[in-house]
């Protein structure tokens, strides 16, 4: 598998092309856009011809994870004339997104996701786990080629990556805050992200959903100390082989 970061700013877009949450996960001919945060669609188009997109996964309905689906809708419907793009999203999210548009026509095929659900998209098997975050939010585990990737989506510390079992090859964890300034238990600090990944014996850890006002070096240092090994900080257009 290969992971491309399309955006990694936590909760609001940062300066200098700092798009919000979005990732392109690829295995063979399978290309899955996980989270369509604001600013990620332009980055997606730099890495993939959109007609080759296999499916979309939305972890939850916060705008920084889903609003660029409107741009995808316009391109698919009026530009490429592609219908029935599979979208995997929490139950009810389709209706929530429809409050801003008249309708999506036949652009999308909506597949509701719930806790513990498993589905196969092309070469990739996906599992979903409900995290600690106010709207229904699902972390994603992806398996292909004997490798395992886990993305926390947004979560507080009462859900951990260990929910998918130990030893993931790559954990992509939100790390919105530095530990001393975390304001609410609906996100993780870099320390909490590192501790959870260490306890789950993750092979590698990448930190994302980074609060743009925070110092990146401080986030990396705090995360690495807790993880017990070096961590990677997500940055737009970073490509990682899993
Ligand atoms: Zn978020
Ligand atoms: Zn959120």
């Amino acid at each position: 598998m290969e992971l491309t970061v399309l955006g990694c700013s936590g909760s609001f877009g940062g300066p200098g092309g700092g798009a919000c949450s979005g990732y392109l996960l690829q295995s063979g001919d399978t290309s899955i856009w996980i989270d369509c945060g604001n600013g990620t669609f332009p980055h997606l188009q730099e890495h993939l011809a959109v007609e080759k997109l296999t499916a979309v996964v939305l972890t939850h309905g916060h705008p920084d994870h889903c609003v660029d689906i409107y741009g995808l809708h316009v391109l698919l419907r009026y530009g490429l004339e592609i219908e029935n793009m599979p979208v995997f999203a929490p139950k009810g999210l389709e209706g929530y997104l429809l409050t801003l548009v008249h309708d999506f026509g036949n652009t999308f095929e909506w597949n509701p996701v719930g806790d513990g659900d498993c589905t196969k998209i092309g070469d990739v098997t996906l599992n979903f786990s409900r995290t600690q975050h106010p709207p229904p939010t699902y972390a994603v585990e992806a398996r292909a080629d004997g490798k395992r990737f886990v993305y926390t989506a947004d979560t507080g510390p009462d859900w951990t990556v260990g929910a998918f079992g130990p030893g993931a090859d790559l954990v992509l964890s939100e790390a919105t805050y530095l530990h001393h300034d975390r304001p609410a238990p609906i996100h993780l600090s870099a320390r909490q992200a590192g501790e959870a990944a260490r306890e789950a014996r993750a092979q590698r850890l990448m930190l994302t959903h980074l609060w743009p006002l925070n110092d990146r070096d401080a986030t990396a240092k705090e995360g690495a100390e807790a993880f017990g090994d070096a961590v990677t900080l997500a940055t737009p257009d970073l490509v990682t082989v899993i």
Side-chain angles (χ1 to χ4, degrees), residues 26-222:
Q26 295 177 286
S27 175
D29 293 334
T30 305
S31 296
I32 305 170
W33 184 10
I34 303 176
D35 276 347
C36 308
N38 35 310
T40 58
F41 193 35
H43 287 289
L44 177 80
Q45 294 169 77
E46 289 168 14
H47 294 276
L48 183 76
V50 174
E51 56 267 33
K52 293 199 162 66
L53 184 65
T54 312
V56 173
V57 172
L58 299 176
T59 61
H60 65 299
H62 277 157
D64 59 315
H65 295 256
C66 65
V67 295
D68 269 14
I69 198 168
Y70 294 113
L72 177 65
H73 161 65
V74 171
L75 176 58
L76 291 179
R77 186 168 185 180
Y78 302 106
L80 301 176
E81 299 182 356
I82 291 173
E83 295 185 340
N84 301 314
M85 173 64 66
V87 179
F88 295 81
K91 190 166 181 276
L93 188 53
E94 175 190 6
Y96 182 63
L97 292 169
L98 274 171
T99 57
L100 278 191
V101 290
H102 179 60
D103 68 67
F104 284 125
N106 296 320
T107 304
F108 300 121
E109 171 203 284
W110 292 89
N111 299 273
V113 163
D115 187 37
D117 283 359
C118 178
T119 192
K120 188 144 196 225
I121 302 175
D123 297 339
V124 182
T125 301
L126 297 182
N127 283 282
F128 297 92
S129 179
R130 174 74 168 94
T131 72
Q132 183 197 6
H133 200 64
T137 302
Y138 297 96
V140 182
E141 178 201 58
R143 285 181 280 129
D145 303 329
K147 299 289 185 183
R148 211 154 64 78
F149 163 69
V150 171
Y151 166 46
T152 63
D154 284 3
T155 190
D158 284 350
W159 179 94
T160 74
V161 293
F164 291 116
D169 296 280
L170 176 67
V171 167
L172 174 65
S173 177
E174 79 125 280
T176 309
Y177 304 119
L178 292 166
H179 203 68
H180 64 77
D181 64 8
R182 67 194 195 286
I186 63 167
H187 288 295
L188 300 179
S189 67
R191 184 199 293 179
Q192 290 169 325
E195 287 171 349
R198 187 191 69 232
E199 284 165 16
R201 303 200 294 281
Q203 301 292 310
R204 286 187 291 151
L205 174 62
M206 183 186 294
L207 301 181
T208 191
H209 203 274
L210 308 170
W211 188 248
L213 301 182
N214 277 352
D215 181 74
R216 286 174 62 92
D217 290 342
T219 298
K221 184 168 181 287
E222 182 177 295

Side-chain angles (χ1 to χ4, degrees), residues 12 25 34 37 97 212 229:
F12 68 98
L25 184 69
I34 303 176
L97 292 169
D229 201 349

